[in-house]
Amino acid sequence: MMKGRSLFQKMAAAPHIVWAVLFIVAPMLFVIYFAFTDVNGKFSFANILSLSQYSNVFVLSIAFALIATVVCLIIGYPLAYFMAKSKPKTQRVLLVLLMLPMWCNLLIRTYALMALLDNGGLLNSLLESVGLNKLYIVGSDFGVIFGMIYDFLPYMVLPIYTVMSKLDKRYMEASADLGCNSFQTMTKVIMPLSVSGVISGITMVFVPSISTFYISQKLGAGKIDLVGDTIERLFQNLSTYNVGAAISLIMMILIIISVSIMNRFSDDDGGMII
């Protein structure tokens, strides 16, 4: 019986293993291969050594991703708390409103945002109609960061809301019985217990923000060059394909390091590891 169950488990895991090998492991091996070879296929460190000229792009991408992640956390945490404390019917309505933009493709959402924020868009037309100056958002740093926040905010709210909605109400009741006010209950009970959701939200916002390229292309109007834009441009030319692979390898390492660091500060129960 145990052997049959073990065989069934292996068969059930086989499709996932095949998928992971074909679409995760194999592409990573290809990236590593091209990162350490030249255009002739010979082993070389030249691609890695040439990355110093892209240091400004890395710094700008990390800065934009950090700002977008922090703002999403500042907005998302109170929103998740409000949703978790609402009545079940209100929670369902808020969840639908939060998820509704995600039902559309990222490209469509970004184009819609351009239509609203462009120099001749709906927002500036409204401002001009009331005699106010235009806001030049598209083509600015603010426009790109705003696009990241708009597109990735649900990824911050949902994991925090999920954790908060499952918290045992007896913890809050015990806190009140011990003399804690609402602020103390929030800082000493709710926030420590929701750390796992915060960590998940930070990871789910930071990773796509640091690697995005379409948002920066459209809302940056081609004036802002992030890591994703650089990789896409380098991959379009065979002579720079290997350098693009080297940047992709560095990005994978940075993402793995950031995820490992964030996971270091959360345990399975959502508490902080000291």
Side-chain angles (χ1 to χ4, degrees):
M1 184 67 181
M2 292 298 295
K3 290 183 179 180
R5 184 179 301 174
S6 177
L7 178 61
F8 176 78
Q9 291 174 348
K10 292 179 180 179
M11 292 178 61
H16 173 73
I17 295 173
V18 173
W19 178 275
V21 170
L22 290 178
F23 299 104
I24 299 177
V25 177
M28 291 180 65
L29 292 177
F30 278 118
V31 169
I32 294 172
Y33 168 77
F34 284 109
F36 289 100
T37 55
D38 58 19
V39 291
N40 298 318
K42 296 180 180 179
F43 180 81
S44 174
F45 281 107
N47 301 318
I48 302 297
L49 296 176
S50 66
L51 295 184
S52 58
Q53 60 183 305
Y54 300 101
S55 57
N56 292 336
V57 176
F58 278 102
V59 172
L60 187 64
S61 298
I62 293 173
F64 277 27
L66 286 174
I67 293 172
T69 303
V70 170
V71 174
C72 283
L73 179 59
I74 293 174
I75 299 174
Y77 195 92
L79 178 57
Y81 177 76
F82 175 77
M83 291 172 59
K85 290 297 182 181
S86 300
K87 297 179 180 179
K89 184 177 180 180
T90 305
Q91 289 185 25
R92 289 192 292 269
V93 172
L94 293 175
L95 274 175
V96 170
L97 293 176
L98 182 68
M99 296 289 293
L100 192 60
M102 298 177 65
W103 295 351
C104 298
N105 187 274
L106 174 67
L107 308 184
I108 298 175
R109 298 202 305 268
T110 304
Y111 267 113
L113 204 57
M114 286 180 61
L116 291 174
L117 304 179
D118 201 5
N119 296 338
L122 182 61
L123 176 62
N124 281 317
S125 298
L126 180 62
L127 292 176
E128 283 187 316
S129 66
V130 296
L132 298 177
N133 295 326
K134 285 185 176 182
L135 294 176
Y136 296 96
I137 298 176
V138 175
S140 65
D141 295 352
F142 174 79
V144 176
I145 295 173
F146 183 81
M148 293 178 180
I149 296 170
Y150 169 75
D151 283 316
F152 303 134
L153 178 62
Y155 299 121
M156 179 68 73
V157 177
L158 290 176
I160 299 176
Y161 161 76
T162 301
V163 172
M164 284 187 174
S165 62
K166 294 179 180 178
L167 292 180
D168 194 333
K169 295 181 179 180
R170 290 176 295 180
Y171 288 128
M172 278 65 81
E173 295 173 356
S175 174
D177 291 339
L178 293 173
C180 291
N181 54 34
S182 299
F183 179 77
Q184 290 173 324
T185 300
M186 170 63 72
T187 56
K188 295 182 178 181
V189 179
I190 298 176
M191 292 180 69
L193 291 176
S194 61
V195 166
S196 61
V198 172
I199 296 298
S200 298
I202 290 174
T203 305
M204 294 175 67
V205 172
F206 180 79
V207 170
S209 295
I210 198 175
S211 57
T212 187
F213 65 94
Y214 193 80
I215 295 174
S216 54
Q217 284 181 0
K218 297 305 178 183
L219 296 179
K223 300 177 182 177
I224 299 172
D225 202 22
L226 300 183
V227 171
D229 306 301
T230 303
I231 293 174
E232 184 197 26
R233 185 175 64 254
L234 293 174
F235 276 157
Q236 291 176 352
N237 192 333
L238 289 177
S239 62
T240 56
Y241 195 93
N242 301 79
V243 179
I247 297 178
S248 300
L249 177 61
I250 298 301
M251 283 298 298
M252 287 193 299
I253 294 173
L254 288 176
I255 290 173
I256 291 172
I257 291 175
S258 65
V259 171
S260 300
I261 291 175
M262 286 184 285
N263 286 342
R264 169 65 180 83
F265 293 97
S266 68
D267 59 18
D268 295 336
D269 297 325
M272 295 297 290
I273 296 178
I274 306 298

